[in-house]
Amino acid sequence: MAFSLPLEIVLVYEVPVVGLEVAESTVTIFGAVAVAVLIALSGFFSSSEIAMFNLPKHRLEGMVEDDIAGAELVKKLKDDPHRLLVTILVGNNIVNIAMSSIATAVLSIHFGGLLGVILATFGITAIVLLFGESVPKSYAVENTESWAIRISKPLKGTEYLLFPLIVLFDYLTRQVNKLTGSTGAIESPYVTRDEIQEMIESGEREGVLEEEEHEMLTRIFRFNNTIVKEVMTPRLDMTAVPKDAGIDEAIETCIQSGHARIPVYEGSLDNVQGVVHIRDLVRDLNYGETETEDLELADLIQPTLHVPESKNIDELLTEMRENRMHMAIVIDEFGTTEGLVTVEDMIEEIVGEILKTGEDEPVEELDERTVLVRGEVNIEDVNEALEIDLPEGEEFETIAGFIFNRAGRLVEEGEEITYDGVRITVESVENTRIMKARLHKFEVPSEDESDVDDDATDDGVE
Ligand code: ADP
């Protein structure tokens, strides 16, 4: 075949001058059109490969379940991945090779045999790489689902059109795979974070994962979006001792508060110097070498970290583990102490609340539509418990913060606010602090009721 090209060229050259021009330009135009069509087909096959093999099984099943038009055909094609791959590869190779042959023929007319071959080789390689591979594949990566549906019909058509060739190559490749010992596993394990999350969801739906396992896995994914402010113990609840306190006083403070570690401050809580552990205090007081009257709290202070309230807890946990610290002091943008955070506070974000004896559940379910929550509970947890949609990520983190924000002032026990189909009642207040609130989700908010809600929302507290 390759030798027939120069013959054709000779024939063309024997045509009279005017005819020669017509013949040359016609061939060139036909050649260019053919190359353009073939490059489009090449792009079609390359993008099909990516779209079909990047589409995860579970997502495709979801599409079929949702009755998305064309999803069924995609599934049928993917049911035999080997046949599908052979179809795509046979199609792609035919068009790429045809393109290269045509280009060589046309370019040889203009530039002679050798130069024509060189130009066609490099020219077609560049064009195929760019428009037959790179561009269509990138597009298919971005639009996997929609593209897989679009190309499924033409792909099925190709399978019919090239049927004998595909059957032959299907058979041959399977035999070669057997000889080389290849498993023939074609679908690549391409996986993203979103896909893992979706799998966790479907895992629970289908009973592969226990509810508790599902909860914990979901929390792990949420972990790196959580900031210190959401998990810290607030300043008001901090138990700390001044630096000039005696060791026995510090021990007593630990025992009374039930905490093993307490921050030590100089002057005020805004100037925390470090942390003392009851173990060191007791050891030093009872078994130390220093005389009791010479013992000073300052000698037992362990350094601590001061971290901004906006720090991500996954980073902080790593830092604290590296520094072997169990407690960090949380400060705001002005350097004022906002609270403290311990390793346990962060671990609770994954394993769930670890309650001490006598400690109340942060969210107590009274009935299907009502919960009693502690004021410091995060809005996110309340939303999850009642399946409601109170605003998250604003300037407040907790349910108490939300109530104050809506009220715009201090509130008293028994006050109520209504927001988006939820009635929030302030159950208990200590000094100025909201300790507990009851949330009730209305049954089915009627038109009239939602009007009332809007008014109540605007007015804040009733
Ligand atoms: P402990 O067992 O000593 O209380 P953990 O690290 O187990 O310490 O923390 C349990 C909870 O108590 C966490 O929510 C933590 O923020 C809080 N906590 C620990 N120490 C103090 C303290 N000195 N003052 C206030 N809260 C504390």
Side-chain angles (χ1 to χ4, degrees), residues 48-58 78 81-82 84-85 137 141 144 183-192 195 199:
S48 302
E49 186 183 338
I50 293 289
M52 293 308 253
F53 290 100
N54 266 12
L55 184 62
K57 239 190 186 153
H58 64 94
K78 270 181 76 98
H82 194 267
L84 176 62
L85 186 65
K137 279 186 172 170
V141 166
T144 312
T183 57
I186 293 163
E187 290 185 86
S188 58
Y190 180 82
V191 78
T192 66
E195 280 164 18
M199 279 170 79

Side-chain angles (χ1 to χ4, degrees), residues 57-59 61-62 65 198-211 214:
K57 239 190 186 153
H58 64 94
R59 207 188 278 175
E61 266 153 27
E65 258 174 44
E198 276 173 38
M199 279 170 79
I200 294 172
E201 292 308 319
S202 27
E204 202 229 4
R205 261 202 310 275
E206 286 166 29
V208 184
L209 292 175
E210 301 274 320
E211 199 187 325
H214 165 259

Side-chain angles (χ1 to χ4, degrees), residues 179-432:
L179 282 179
T180 56
S182 154
T183 57
I186 293 163
E187 290 185 86
S188 58
Y190 180 82
V191 78
T192 66
R193 196 182 166 88
D194 282 348
E195 280 164 18
I196 297 176
Q197 273 172 297
E198 276 173 38
M199 279 170 79
I200 294 172
E201 292 308 319
S202 27
E204 202 229 4
R205 261 202 310 275
E206 286 166 29
V208 184
L209 292 175
E210 301 274 320
E211 199 187 325
E212 265 296 302
E213 290 172 320
H214 165 259
E215 270 287 290
M216 221 183 267
L217 289 168
T218 320
R219 290 205 204 103
I220 288 176
F221 277 92
R222 226 171 29 204
F223 195 68
N224 70 344
N225 291 326
T226 308
I227 56 168
V228 172
K229 192 177 177 186
E230 295 174 68
V231 303
M232 70 179 188
T233 296
R235 180 183 176 123
L236 261 183
D237 290 333
M238 270 173 75
T239 307
V241 281
K243 200 177 174 183
D244 50 18
I247 295 209
D248 41 2
E249 195 183 333
I251 293 177
E252 202 183 318
T253 313
C254 284
I255 291 172
Q256 272 175 2
S257 66
H259 296 302
R261 271 179 208 88
I262 46 174
V264 180
Y265 59 87
E266 196 171 1
S268 85
L269 260 187
D270 293 324
N271 186 16
V272 173
Q273 305 274 296
V275 173
V276 284
H277 194 291
I278 190 168
R279 183 191 50 218
D280 299 335
L281 299 173
V282 172
R283 189 174 46 208
D284 221 51
L285 189 68
N286 296 318
Y287 310 103
E289 284 162 10
T290 328
E291 291 296 318
T292 313
E293 55 270 18
D294 296 337
L295 282 174
E296 281 202 26
L297 194 61
D299 300 332
L300 299 176
I301 298 178
Q302 298 290 325
T304 184
L305 285 174
H306 284 76
V307 295
E309 55 188 4
S310 56
K311 193 178 180 80
N312 273 359
I313 58 171
D314 62 336
E315 279 171 33
L316 179 61
L317 186 59
T318 314
E319 233 167 87
M320 285 171 76
R321 288 176 62 196
E322 274 169 8
N323 292 309
R324 299 180 191 190
M325 284 178 181
H326 285 84
M327 183 183 276
I329 305 298
V330 186
I331 51 173
D332 69 7
E333 58 195 300
F334 308 109
T336 315
T337 300
E338 283 277 288
L340 60 80
V341 61
T342 68
V343 170
E344 185 182 295
D345 291 319
M346 291 181 268
I347 289 175
E348 279 180 343
E349 286 303 295
I350 295 175
V351 298
E353 203 73 20
I354 304 169
L355 297 175
K356 287 191 177 155
T357 23
E359 206 178 341
D360 285 347
E361 283 279 350
V363 181
E364 216 178 306
E365 197 183 304
L366 300 181
D367 63 52
E368 243 181 45
R369 304 184 157 272
T370 319
V371 289
L372 191 63
V373 297
R374 297 211 305 244
E376 75 269 17
V377 169
N378 284 346
I379 306 236
E380 196 178 294
D381 299 335
V382 182
N383 280 345
E384 226 165 73
L386 268 188
E387 289 177 6
I388 52 176
D389 210 14
L390 300 182
E392 289 174 27
E394 296 195 9
E395 59 270 34
F396 42 81
E397 296 289 342
T398 62
I399 194 69
F402 173 70
I403 297 173
F404 280 137
N405 181 277
R406 303 304 307 176
R409 59 170 168 80
L410 295 179
V411 292
E412 286 172 14
E413 270 175 24
E415 289 195 62
E416 274 181 5
I417 58 170
T418 314
Y419 183 92
D420 206 13
V422 185
R423 185 190 304 120
I424 306 169
T425 315
V426 180
E427 287 286 313
S428 89
V429 176
E430 268 180 37
N431 299 323
T432 55

